[in-house]
Amino acid sequence: RMQRSIELILVEQGALSNEQLKEIMTLAQVDEITPLAYIRQHKLVSNESLARAYATFMNIEYLAKISEKMADPTLLGKIPVRFLRKNVVMPIVFNDRSTIVTANPFDYQ
């Protein structure tokens, strides 16, 4: 199966219309940047819409909110706070499983 682009996912999720995407593609070409870069540069969708699209693109779950109650104290005690802050990650319990949430799922390191 071919992977859809972030831009097409934004259309599928209703954050952009097909007409807006066509215009963005033309304007991005004039500016010599990618359509996604154009969308981000001009803030054409909300950060939440963009985060949802990234989650869909990467086939990972999107969490709109993370509460303190979700924190995994066992894992938190094993990972230096400095590392967590620097990498913007946090171990949580979600659906009865320990998992790591991150603000940047593209940063695999």
Side-chain angles (χ1 to χ4, degrees), residues 13-64:
Q13 293 177 345
L16 293 173
S17 68
N18 281 317
E19 293 76 24
Q20 287 173 307
L21 181 57
K22 286 177 188 173
E23 183 178 350
I24 288 165
M25 292 177 81
T26 301
L27 294 170
Q29 194 170 25
V30 169
D31 286 356
E32 296 181 351
I33 59 175
T34 66
L36 182 57
Y38 188 90
I39 290 166
R40 293 182 69 185
Q41 184 177 30
H42 294 280
K43 299 179 182 193
L44 300 177
V45 299
S46 70
N47 287 337
E48 183 176 352
S49 292
L50 201 51
R52 285 182 188 278
Y54 277 121
T56 299
F57 180 78
M58 297 185 74
N59 198 29
I60 57 177
E61 187 141 7
Y62 171 79
L63 297 176

